[in-house]
Structure formats: C-alpha cells, structure tokens
Amino acid sequence: MRAMTTVLSPWFSGVWMLWLAYWGISALRVKPAVRVESRSSRWGRHVLLIILAVLLLRRYPWLNGSFLNERFVPDQAWIVWLGFTLTVIGLAFTCWARVVLGRNWSAIVQLKQDHELIVRGPYSFVRHPIYTGLLLAFFGTALAIGEWHTLVATALVAIAFWRKLRLEERWLCELFGDQYRNYMQHVKALVPWVL
C-alpha cells in the first residue's frame, strides 16, 4: 500500500508548493513593522523546531528498526486520501485567514504600522487560524505517511506555534488591551471551543 502514498506524493508536493508560492507572493504587500521579535528569540522560540519538523516528514534509513519508522495507522488507501483531504483543507484555511488578515500579516512576530485587530472570518472561530490550518495540514500529511516520525513532526510544529502565539498574544494585549483580552475570553487559540 505504500505505493498509494507514492502515487499521491506529487499531489502532496504540489499542494504544499502551491501554498508556498501563494504565501511568498502575498508576503510582498504587507504593512511596515513597528515592532519586531529579535532574530535570536525567533530561532530559539520556534524556527528551529519548525525546521526539525519539516525534516522529520521524510523517512530516514538510519531510523529503521526504531518505532519512529513504524506505522501508527493501517496502510490503507482511504487513510492516505483522508490525509490528503485534511492537508488541502488545512492549507485552504490558512489562505482564507491570510486573505482576511490582509496587510497586517507577518511571518514573524511583529506589530504593524496602524495594526488592526481582526476578529472576522476564520478569526471568529480561532485566534490563530493560520496555525490551526498548518497544524491540520501537517497532521494530514502525517496521517497519509502513517509513520510515527511524522506525528513527532506534527507535535514539534504544535509546540513551536504555541510558543510563538504566546509572544504574539502578549504583544497584542499590550497594544489592544481589554479589547484583545475580551477576544481571548470568547475565542479559543487553536481549536474552536476547546483550546
């Protein structure tokens, strides 16, 4: 059945590459920053974890014989297709959030000139829909591959995003005060109505 994952591999690569292209192009039209997280904070807080997670999506022969290359789900076509569907839904959710966020978006923790608090669209379901969508996409990819190393990768991404959003929220509370704190009380960070 690994052949099914191999058959869909170009599709997975394609949707991730299409997403990266959109992300890069849309990053060209953002507001100037007035406050930026330092490079050392960024690398220590989340960048290294995300790089490690992306590397862990691949299968490495030196992990053979360890549980990391073992399967956590049966090797069946419907699971691969479910993973692909979750990946597409997750990436589409990030794009919706990116469109709604508009020129306030940034890849790193920043406050923008004339920063706006966006609470509509996907931001009415979760405070960090881009992270939610990416976590769903990572999980979908992990599910399709079906091996433990990919679940470890997804967990690393979750930790990185959680660490990053904590800093973002501290800055947003400083900027928007009670307005943001009220938003935090009514809308969950990553999983609607749960977390």
Side-chain angles (χ1 to χ4, degrees):
M1 190 59 62
R2 276 186 211 273
M4 182 55 144
T5 308
T6 304
V7 167
L8 277 182
S9 184
W11 289 92
F12 275 97
S13 298
V15 296
W16 277 105
M17 294 307 291
L18 185 62
W19 178 83
L20 278 172
Y22 167 71
W23 222 247
I25 291 167
S26 64
L28 299 174
R29 299 195 58 221
V30 296
K31 293 177 183 177
V34 294
R35 184 177 181 188
V36 180
E37 178 186 19
S38 72
R39 180 172 284 139
S40 60
S41 171
R42 202 169 34 239
W43 278 86
R45 187 178 306 275
H46 50 87
V47 171
L48 288 176
L49 287 174
I50 292 171
I51 290 170
L52 181 57
V54 169
L55 291 173
L56 274 173
L57 288 178
R58 292 185 44 95
R59 185 174 227 277
Y60 296 100
W62 54 270
L63 291 175
N64 287 343
S66 74
F67 83 96
L68 290 171
N69 277 355
E70 298 297 322
R71 297 195 62 78
F72 67 90
V73 291
D75 194 8
Q76 297 181 0
W78 73 269
I79 293 174
V80 175
W81 280 105
L82 176 61
F84 181 72
T85 302
L86 292 175
T87 301
V88 170
I89 291 169
L91 293 178
F93 194 67
T94 68
C95 292
W96 180 30
R98 176 66 185 84
V99 167
V100 171
L101 195 55
R103 296 186 65 218
N104 293 293
W105 177 83
S106 65
I108 60 177
V109 181
Q110 291 183 348
L111 293 178
K112 298 293 189 175
Q113 183 179 341
D114 301 320
H115 202 102
E116 301 168 71
L117 178 57
I118 307 296
V119 297
R120 65 185 182 280
Y123 293 88
S124 64
F125 300 111
V126 288
R127 296 191 308 267
H128 301 276
I130 292 173
Y131 301 160
T132 299
L134 282 173
L135 283 170
L136 183 60
F138 258 85
F139 177 72
T141 301
L143 185 64
I145 296 169
E147 297 174 356
W148 284 103
H149 61 93
T150 61
L151 275 188
V152 172
T154 304
L156 290 175
V157 169
I159 292 166
F161 287 163
W162 187 257
R163 294 176 72 181
K164 186 179 178 188
L165 77 80
R166 300 277 305 237
L167 178 62
E168 287 177 354
E169 295 202 326
R170 190 170 73 229
W171 285 15
L172 290 168
C173 281
E174 290 172 12
L175 180 64
F176 295 109
D178 288 339
Q179 185 183 9
Y180 194 79
R181 282 186 278 278
N182 184 53
Y183 176 55
M184 290 174 73
Q185 289 178 346
H186 293 92
V187 178
K188 297 296 184 183
L190 292 172
V191 181
W193 310 288
V194 179
L195 173 71

